[in-house]
mmCIF file of all heavy atoms in Angstrom:
data_model
loop_
_atom_site.group_PDB
_atom_site.id
_atom_site.type_symbol
_atom_site.label_atom_id
_atom_site.label_comp_id
_atom_site.label_asym_id
_atom_site.label_seq_id
_atom_site.Cartn_x
_atom_site.Cartn_y
_atom_site.Cartn_z
ATOM 1 N N THR A 34 -14.935 -18.773 7.525
ATOM 2 C CA THR A 34 -14.998 -19.842 6.527
ATOM 3 C C THR A 34 -16.436 -19.984 5.975
ATOM 4 O O THR A 34 -16.610 -19.914 4.729
ATOM 5 C CB THR A 34 -14.414 -21.197 7.008
ATOM 6 O OG1 THR A 34 -13.069 -20.835 7.425
ATOM 7 C CG2 THR A 34 -14.386 -22.177 5.890
ATOM 8 N N LEU A 49 -26.036 -19.315 -12.252
ATOM 9 C CA LEU A 49 -26.946 -20.385 -12.693
ATOM 10 C C LEU A 49 -28.346 -19.784 -13.112
ATOM 11 O O LEU A 49 -29.002 -20.346 -14.028
ATOM 12 C CB LEU A 49 -27.082 -21.562 -11.832
ATOM 13 C CG LEU A 49 -25.761 -22.326 -11.461
ATOM 14 C CD1 LEU A 49 -25.971 -23.521 -10.470
ATOM 15 C CD2 LEU A 49 -25.076 -22.830 -12.740
ATOM 16 N N VAL A 74 -10.213 -18.494 1.416
ATOM 17 C CA VAL A 74 -10.273 -19.459 2.492
ATOM 18 C C VAL A 74 -9.113 -20.561 2.465
ATOM 19 O O VAL A 74 -8.417 -20.930 3.352
ATOM 20 C CB VAL A 74 -11.548 -20.118 2.542
ATOM 21 C CG1 VAL A 74 -11.646 -21.302 3.545
ATOM 22 C CG2 VAL A 74 -12.763 -19.187 2.852
ATOM 23 N N SER A 135 -10.651 -21.396 -22.180
ATOM 24 C CA SER A 135 -10.225 -22.759 -22.739
ATOM 25 C C SER A 135 -9.700 -23.434 -21.575
ATOM 26 O O SER A 135 -9.856 -24.737 -21.532
ATOM 27 C CB SER A 135 -9.239 -22.549 -23.830
ATOM 28 O OG SER A 135 -7.944 -22.224 -23.411
ATOM 29 N N VAL A 146 -16.559 -33.918 -15.469
ATOM 30 C CA VAL A 146 -17.958 -33.206 -15.471
ATOM 31 C C VAL A 146 -18.887 -34.124 -16.366
ATOM 32 O O VAL A 146 -20.078 -34.054 -16.158
ATOM 33 C CB VAL A 146 -17.771 -31.732 -15.735
ATOM 34 C CG1 VAL A 146 -17.585 -31.514 -17.381
ATOM 35 C CG2 VAL A 146 -19.030 -30.995 -15.304
ATOM 36 N N PRO A 215 18.151 -25.398 10.940
ATOM 37 C CA PRO A 215 19.426 -24.714 11.613
ATOM 38 C C PRO A 215 20.188 -25.662 12.562
ATOM 39 O O PRO A 215 21.348 -25.241 12.692
ATOM 40 C CB PRO A 215 18.817 -23.394 12.293
ATOM 41 C CG PRO A 215 17.457 -23.393 11.612
ATOM 42 C CD PRO A 215 16.884 -24.632 11.363
ATOM 43 N N GLN A 222 27.100 -31.313 7.836
ATOM 44 C CA GLN A 222 28.131 -30.646 7.109
ATOM 45 C C GLN A 222 29.447 -30.782 7.804
ATOM 46 O O GLN A 222 30.638 -30.874 7.196
ATOM 47 C CB GLN A 222 27.872 -29.256 6.686
ATOM 48 C CG GLN A 222 26.732 -29.174 5.618
ATOM 49 C CD GLN A 222 26.471 -27.763 5.236
ATOM 50 O OE1 GLN A 222 26.803 -26.829 5.985
ATOM 51 N NE2 GLN A 222 25.899 -27.525 4.012
ATOM 52 N N LEU A 233 21.966 -38.577 14.043
ATOM 53 C CA LEU A 233 21.021 -37.513 13.639
ATOM 54 C C LEU A 233 20.468 -37.756 12.286
ATOM 55 O O LEU A 233 19.176 -37.477 12.103
ATOM 56 C CB LEU A 233 21.749 -36.094 13.707
ATOM 57 C CG LEU A 233 20.853 -34.913 13.566
ATOM 58 C CD1 LEU A 233 19.789 -34.830 14.674
ATOM 59 C CD2 LEU A 233 21.662 -33.627 13.430
ATOM 60 N N GLN A 301 32.299 -39.043 -10.986
ATOM 61 C CA GLN A 301 33.516 -38.230 -10.758
ATOM 62 C C GLN A 301 33.475 -37.755 -9.346
ATOM 63 O O GLN A 301 34.291 -37.801 -8.478
ATOM 64 C CB GLN A 301 33.774 -37.200 -11.688
ATOM 65 C CG GLN A 301 35.076 -36.641 -11.889
ATOM 66 C CD GLN A 301 35.020 -35.567 -12.829
ATOM 67 O OE1 GLN A 301 34.065 -35.038 -13.397
ATOM 68 N NE2 GLN A 301 36.263 -34.927 -13.192
ATOM 69 N N ILE A 305 35.679 -38.679 -5.838
ATOM 70 C CA ILE A 305 36.465 -37.681 -5.090
ATOM 71 C C ILE A 305 36.119 -37.737 -3.602
ATOM 72 O O ILE A 305 36.970 -37.758 -2.860
ATOM 73 C CB ILE A 305 36.174 -36.154 -5.633
ATOM 74 C CG1 ILE A 305 36.688 -36.053 -7.000
ATOM 75 C CG2 ILE A 305 36.740 -35.169 -4.645
ATOM 76 C CD1 ILE A 305 36.352 -34.821 -7.747
ATOM 77 N N THR A 363 17.144 -3.519 -7.597
ATOM 78 C CA THR A 363 17.928 -3.185 -8.729
ATOM 79 C C THR A 363 17.428 -3.816 -9.986
ATOM 80 O O THR A 363 17.364 -3.103 -11.018
ATOM 81 C CB THR A 363 19.438 -3.542 -8.480
ATOM 82 O OG1 THR A 363 19.770 -2.935 -7.164
ATOM 83 C CG2 THR A 363 20.436 -2.968 -9.431
ATOM 84 N N LEU A 399 6.981 -12.166 5.941
ATOM 85 C CA LEU A 399 8.174 -12.965 6.052
ATOM 86 C C LEU A 399 8.092 -13.552 7.540
ATOM 87 O O LEU A 399 8.233 -13.027 8.467
ATOM 88 C CB LEU A 399 9.617 -12.258 5.906
ATOM 89 C CG LEU A 399 9.747 -11.495 4.670
ATOM 90 C CD1 LEU A 399 11.132 -10.815 4.706
ATOM 91 C CD2 LEU A 399 9.742 -12.496 3.513
ATOM 92 N N ASP A 400 7.964 -14.966 7.535
ATOM 93 C CA ASP A 400 7.939 -15.811 8.722
ATOM 94 C C ASP A 400 9.094 -16.708 8.580
ATOM 95 O O ASP A 400 8.904 -17.817 8.012
ATOM 96 C CB ASP A 400 6.604 -16.549 8.824
ATOM 97 C CG ASP A 400 6.460 -17.249 10.143
ATOM 98 O OD1 ASP A 400 7.571 -17.428 10.819
ATOM 99 O OD2 ASP A 400 5.395 -17.804 10.359
ATOM 100 N N PHE A 434 15.159 -20.368 9.066
ATOM 101 C CA PHE A 434 16.552 -19.883 9.102
ATOM 102 C C PHE A 434 16.971 -19.592 10.514
ATOM 103 O O PHE A 434 16.088 -19.386 11.340
ATOM 104 C CB PHE A 434 16.776 -18.591 8.228
ATOM 105 C CG PHE A 434 16.391 -18.868 6.793
ATOM 106 C CD1 PHE A 434 15.559 -17.932 6.033
ATOM 107 C CD2 PHE A 434 16.800 -19.985 6.079
ATOM 108 C CE1 PHE A 434 15.163 -18.174 4.785
ATOM 109 C CE2 PHE A 434 16.423 -20.200 4.789
ATOM 110 C CZ PHE A 434 15.636 -19.364 4.040
ATOM 111 N N LEU A 445 24.065 -16.467 12.069
ATOM 112 C CA LEU A 445 24.857 -16.871 10.753
ATOM 113 C C LEU A 445 24.272 -17.817 10.064
ATOM 114 O O LEU A 445 23.878 -18.892 10.535
ATOM 115 C CB LEU A 445 26.368 -17.125 11.067
ATOM 116 C CG LEU A 445 27.081 -16.091 11.925
ATOM 117 C CD1 LEU A 445 28.471 -16.543 12.212
ATOM 118 C CD2 LEU A 445 27.102 -14.747 11.213
ATOM 119 N N GLY A 468 0.587 -10.919 -10.153
ATOM 120 C CA GLY A 468 -0.745 -10.782 -9.655
ATOM 121 C C GLY A 468 -1.551 -9.635 -10.146
ATOM 122 O O GLY A 468 -2.192 -8.944 -9.364
ATOM 123 N N ILE A 473 -8.565 -15.093 -13.096
ATOM 124 C CA ILE A 473 -7.880 -15.947 -12.172
ATOM 125 C C ILE A 473 -7.156 -17.116 -13.033
ATOM 126 O O ILE A 473 -5.977 -17.344 -12.639
ATOM 127 C CB ILE A 473 -8.770 -16.644 -11.170
ATOM 128 C CG1 ILE A 473 -8.950 -15.745 -10.052
ATOM 129 C CG2 ILE A 473 -8.232 -18.054 -10.743
ATOM 130 C CD1 ILE A 473 -9.232 -16.342 -8.640
ATOM 131 N N GLU A 517 36.466 -13.497 -3.282
ATOM 132 C CA GLU A 517 35.885 -14.135 -4.564
ATOM 133 C C GLU A 517 36.155 -15.635 -4.454
ATOM 134 O O GLU A 517 35.354 -16.425 -4.933
ATOM 135 C CB GLU A 517 36.498 -13.593 -5.811
ATOM 136 C CG GLU A 517 35.737 -13.774 -7.062
ATOM 137 C CD GLU A 517 35.974 -12.674 -8.094
ATOM 138 O OE1 GLU A 517 35.780 -11.528 -7.865
ATOM 139 O OE2 GLU A 517 36.170 -13.036 -9.215
ATOM 140 N N GLY A 527 27.139 -32.943 -9.803
ATOM 141 C CA GLY A 527 26.645 -34.143 -10.301
ATOM 142 C C GLY A 527 25.814 -34.863 -9.295
ATOM 143 O O GLY A 527 24.762 -35.470 -9.571
ATOM 144 N N GLN A 533 18.389 -35.201 -7.183
ATOM 145 C CA GLN A 533 17.116 -34.807 -7.614
ATOM 146 C C GLN A 533 16.480 -35.772 -8.569
ATOM 147 O O GLN A 533 15.302 -35.991 -8.617
ATOM 148 C CB GLN A 533 17.322 -33.424 -8.371
ATOM 149 C CG GLN A 533 17.835 -32.326 -7.530
ATOM 150 C CD GLN A 533 16.754 -31.882 -6.476
ATOM 151 O OE1 GLN A 533 15.554 -31.626 -6.888
ATOM 152 N NE2 GLN A 533 17.142 -31.828 -5.341
ATOM 153 N N LYS A 563 19.596 -47.583 -7.966
ATOM 154 C CA LYS A 563 19.663 -47.301 -9.447
ATOM 155 C C LYS A 563 20.333 -46.088 -9.834
ATOM 156 O O LYS A 563 21.010 -45.870 -10.702
ATOM 157 C CB LYS A 563 18.325 -47.489 -10.096
ATOM 158 C CG LYS A 563 18.299 -47.409 -11.621
ATOM 159 C CD LYS A 563 16.861 -47.735 -12.093
ATOM 160 C CE LYS A 563 16.856 -47.488 -13.570
ATOM 161 N NZ LYS A 563 15.544 -47.556 -14.183
ATOM 162 N N SER A 595 12.264 -27.429 -14.585
ATOM 163 C CA SER A 595 12.374 -25.938 -14.510
ATOM 164 C C SER A 595 13.750 -25.483 -14.420
ATOM 165 O O SER A 595 14.203 -24.350 -14.903
ATOM 166 C CB SER A 595 11.706 -25.502 -13.257
ATOM 167 O OG SER A 595 10.299 -25.657 -13.243
ATOM 168 N N GLU A 610 26.628 -7.259 -19.655
ATOM 169 C CA GLU A 610 27.922 -6.854 -19.131
ATOM 170 C C GLU A 610 27.891 -7.176 -17.599
ATOM 171 O O GLU A 610 28.901 -7.619 -17.065
ATOM 172 C CB GLU A 610 27.931 -5.235 -19.216
ATOM 173 C CG GLU A 610 29.328 -4.773 -18.924
ATOM 174 C CD GLU A 610 29.794 -3.672 -19.973
ATOM 175 O OE1 GLU A 610 29.688 -4.061 -21.116
ATOM 176 O OE2 GLU A 610 29.962 -2.663 -19.520
ATOM 177 N N PRO A 615 19.741 -3.923 -15.261
ATOM 178 C CA PRO A 615 18.375 -3.971 -15.168
ATOM 179 C C PRO A 615 17.696 -4.210 -16.620
ATOM 180 O O PRO A 615 16.500 -4.845 -16.503
ATOM 181 C CB PRO A 615 17.958 -2.604 -14.659
ATOM 182 C CG PRO A 615 19.226 -1.933 -14.076
ATOM 183 C CD PRO A 615 20.379 -2.563 -14.884
ATOM 184 N N ARG A 639 9.919 -18.507 -24.856
ATOM 185 C CA ARG A 639 10.418 -18.227 -26.236
ATOM 186 C C ARG A 639 10.382 -16.743 -26.663
ATOM 187 O O ARG A 639 11.356 -16.275 -27.255
ATOM 188 C CB ARG A 639 9.447 -19.003 -27.325
ATOM 189 C CG ARG A 639 9.981 -19.067 -28.725
ATOM 190 C CD ARG A 639 8.945 -19.534 -29.824
ATOM 191 N NE ARG A 639 7.631 -18.915 -29.642
ATOM 192 C CZ ARG A 639 7.334 -17.604 -30.052
ATOM 193 N NH1 ARG A 639 8.266 -16.891 -30.718
ATOM 194 N NH2 ARG A 639 6.127 -17.071 -29.894
#
Side-chain angles (χ1 to χ4, degrees):
T34 300
L49 299 182
V74 174
S135 77
V146 76
Q222 288 182 335
L233 189 63
Q301 200 183 9
I305 291 171
T363 305
L399 300 181
D400 181 352
F434 301 135
L445 303 180
I473 275 207
E517 203 152 308
Q533 297 294 308
K563 181 168 176 196
S595 288
E610 194 136 306
R639 193 186 51 73

